[in-house]
């Protein structure tokens, strides 16, 4: 039986609740599939850990992440835990994304069945695109390095040829595997930038054009980031894959989530050549922590993305289908504030029940056929 070593970082705020939910779903799935095992290795990191120890991650934990087959991570950071420069001390973005060279931040934005979109008239199938956010440079390259003077602070954006080539190529490869945009089934990669204003973005677009020539089968599309913000609200069906710089991807992915039922539905994968971290795109929501109020679906979908990366495609698909099914049957209902009315635990139980039911049905069809 295949065994995967997974480092689990539960994180801050609602992190432990939604990660526990995800682990329960993964355990139930591994049991029902019977073809693989997950070895969870628990480590602490983040804002609470920083408050206790003075560092947000230990060298041992980082080494464990390097050795793992994948990392499952809860949201990290607490608003009151800050460095003296005002930035948050609990967040691991620079440590994991840059430290493990996780250059592609893959953020699917997908409207699930019966989920109320903030956009009038949109239903299941209308919104289904992926934001491919460059994850190691751009504006956030300046993280912790802003030049402080007596009159202000200068943070710089860094766009490199190598960094852009690999993220653009990743986006085109992803588009090849997808079914195209909901509007016309056309496989399309949209380059989102501000090349009308900054040279760094002009280089990004130029490299997109160059690499795009290697992909004659994929449509190329261009939008300035401000216009993209409008288009994501007015015509989300036209999008298939979006590729953009780090900071723009951070912002546009939250905008996209808002059109797909909220942040509680959107997972993210941070992928490199050797390592991979799976998480939600939302934060630690301390005000909801410990109250069984958090929507665990984003975290559970992050678990599905992890299985896909590990090569367990069928298992990943089972999770996604189970979530679609329970939403379609209205077994769970997510309120307009983003919280499941029956609670985190009940959503988790419904997902597990659905996975088990599907498994039973597939067994009986094997027996009867
Ligand atoms: C995200 C988050 C992080 C980011 C924060 C917590 C550092 O907003 O993953 O989108 O800025 O990338
Ligand atoms: Mn963000």
């Amino acid at each position: 039986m295949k065994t995967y070593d997974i480092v689990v970082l539960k994180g801050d705020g609602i992190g432990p609740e939604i990660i526990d939910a995800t682990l329960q779903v993964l355990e139930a799935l591994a049991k029902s599939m019977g073809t693989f095992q997950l070895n969870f290795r628990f480590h602490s990191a983040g804002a609470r850990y920083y408050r206790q120890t003075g560092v947000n991650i230990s060298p041992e934990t980082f080494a464990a992440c390097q050795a793992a087959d994948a990392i499952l991570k809860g949201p990290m950071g607490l608003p009151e835990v800050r460095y003296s420069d005002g930035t948050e001390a609990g967040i691991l973005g620079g440590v994991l994304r840059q430290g493990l060279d996780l250059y592609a931040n893959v953020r699917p934005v997908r409207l699930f069945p019966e989920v109320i979109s903030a956009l009038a008239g949109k239903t299941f199938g209308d919104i289904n695109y992926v934001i491919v956010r460059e994850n190691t440079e751009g504006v956030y390259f300046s993280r912790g390095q802003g030049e402080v003077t007596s009159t202000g602070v200068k943070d710089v954006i860094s766009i490199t040829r190598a960094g852009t080539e690999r993220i653009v190529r990743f986006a085109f490869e992803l588009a090849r595997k997808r079914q195209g945009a909901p509007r016309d089934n056309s496989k399309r990669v949209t380059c989102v930038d501000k090349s009308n204003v900054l040279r760094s973005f002009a280089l990004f677009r130029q490299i997109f054009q160059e690499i795009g020539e290697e992909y004659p089968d994929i449509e190329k599309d261009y939008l300035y980031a401000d216009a993209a913000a409008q288009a994501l609200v007015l015509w989300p069906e036209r999008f298939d894959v979006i590729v953009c710089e780090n900071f723009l991807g951070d912002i546009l992915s939250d905008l996209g989530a808002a059109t797909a039922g909220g942040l509680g539905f959107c997972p993210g994968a941070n992928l490199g050549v050797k390592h991979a971290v799976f998480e939600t795109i939302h934060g630690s929501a301390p005000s909801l922590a410990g109250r069984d109020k958090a929507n665990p679906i984003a975290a559970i979908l992050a678990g599905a993305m992890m299985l896909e990366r590990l090569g367990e495609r069928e298992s990943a698909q089972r999770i996604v289908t189970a979530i679609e099914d329970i939403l379609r049957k209205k077994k769970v209902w997510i309120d307009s504030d983003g919280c499941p009315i029956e609670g985190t635990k009940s959503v988790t139980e419904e997902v597990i029940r659905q996975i088990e039911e599907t498994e039973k049905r597939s067994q009986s069809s094997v027996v009867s056929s």
Side-chain angles (χ1 to χ4, degrees):
M1 187 168 350
K2 268 184 267 170
T3 301
Y4 304 108
D5 280 332
I6 312 295
V7 164
V8 180
L9 307 169
K10 292 193 180 182
D12 299 305
I14 56 170
E17 291 157 71
I18 60 173
I19 293 299
D20 282 342
T22 307
L23 298 179
Q24 285 165 27
V25 170
L26 291 171
E27 295 272 19
L29 187 73
K31 197 162 145 229
S32 93
M33 298 295 289
T35 51
F36 68 91
Q37 253 181 326
L38 299 166
N39 265 341
F40 298 124
R41 307 190 184 284
F42 297 93
H43 290 262
S44 296
R48 262 187 320 156
Y49 187 75
Y50 176 86
R51 212 160 34 194
Q52 288 158 5
T53 64
V55 292
N56 54 22
I57 187 169
S58 69
E60 295 74 31
T61 298
F62 185 73
C65 289
Q66 285 176 306
D69 293 311
I71 299 142
L72 184 64
K73 171 184 169 293
M76 290 183 187
L78 292 170
E80 68 278 14
V81 182
R82 288 181 188 272
Y83 294 124
S84 56
D85 68 3
T87 62
E88 271 193 44
I91 55 188
L92 292 188
V95 182
L96 294 180
R97 292 175 181 170
Q98 273 157 328
L100 299 176
D101 202 22
L102 309 173
Y103 69 93
N105 191 339
V106 181
R107 299 186 152 193
V109 177
R110 194 161 168 254
L111 182 59
F112 278 85
E114 302 301 327
V115 172
I116 308 290
S117 171
L119 308 180
K122 302 295 176 213
T123 53
F124 181 48
D126 289 345
I127 304 178
N128 184 354
Y129 58 84
V130 181
I131 296 181
V132 175
R133 162 184 174 187
E134 201 294 322
N135 216 16
T136 57
E137 49 183 40
V139 174
Y140 292 160
F141 182 77
S142 195
R143 188 195 301 268
Q145 298 180 39
E147 188 192 320
V148 183
T149 66
S150 59
T151 52
V153 178
K154 201 185 279 171
D155 279 315
V156 297
I157 176 169
S158 167
I159 300 276
T160 67
R161 172 164 279 279
T164 308
E165 279 179 359
R166 65 180 180 173
I167 197 67
V168 166
R169 207 165 260 126
F170 184 98
F172 278 109
E173 292 293 334
L174 178 64
R176 274 199 175 149
K177 291 187 219 130
R178 286 173 48 86
Q179 307 306 313
R183 175 183 283 181
D184 52 9
N185 299 322
S186 183
K187 292 179 192 269
R188 173 181 298 123
V189 182
T190 305
C191 176
V192 169
D193 58 51
K194 283 295 287 183
S195 55
N196 50 344
V197 182
L198 294 178
R199 288 177 184 163
S200 50
F201 283 116
L203 176 66
F204 190 92
R205 185 173 286 212
Q206 184 197 319
I207 293 169
F208 177 87
Q209 283 166 329
E210 285 170 22
I211 302 286
E213 286 180 18
E214 296 169 27
Y215 297 87
D217 49 323
I218 312 282
E219 191 187 318
K220 288 104 207 160
D221 182 33
Y222 301 87
L223 279 174
Y224 298 133
D226 43 358
Q230 166 175 261
L232 287 170
V233 172
L234 291 180
W235 312 291
E237 304 89 336
R238 70 174 267 184
F239 292 99
D240 177 13
V241 174
I242 293 168
V243 65
C244 58
E245 175 272 336
N246 204 338
F247 182 51
L248 293 181
D250 188 14
I251 292 163
L252 293 178
S253 53
D254 277 31
L255 185 153
T259 68
L263 289 164
F265 284 97
C266 293
N270 301 272
L271 307 178
V273 175
K274 291 204 196 112
H275 308 289
V277 173
F278 300 85
E279 60 184 352
T280 61
I281 76 169
H282 63 68
S284 62
S287 67
L288 299 180
R291 299 167 59 199
D292 196 41
K293 278 184 147 286
N295 179 1
I297 290 181
I300 296 171
L301 289 170
M305 292 183 89
M306 179 175 86
L307 290 177
E308 192 172 343
R309 162 85 170 198
L310 293 171
E312 302 294 341
R313 290 188 67 93
E314 175 175 354
S315 298
Q317 191 51 51
R318 281 194 189 200
I319 294 183
V320 176
T321 307
I323 289 174
E324 284 175 9
D325 287 345
I326 60 167
L327 289 166
R328 190 180 291 111
K329 294 188 216 159
K330 300 207 169 82
K331 294 266 167 114
V332 302
W333 187 257
I334 311 298
D335 234 346
S336 55
D337 61 1
C339 299
I341 359 187
E342 309 285 354
T344 312
K345 292 198 179 100
S346 130
V347 175
T348 313
E349 284 157 15
E350 289 295 347
V351 176
I352 293 172
R353 193 170 304 140
Q354 187 62 46
I355 288 172
E356 288 170 350
E357 214 173 273
T358 312
E359 172 63 19
K360 250 184 258 146
R361 232 181 292 129
S362 78
Q363 274 181 4
S364 63
S365 70
V366 169
V367 172
S368 62
S369 62

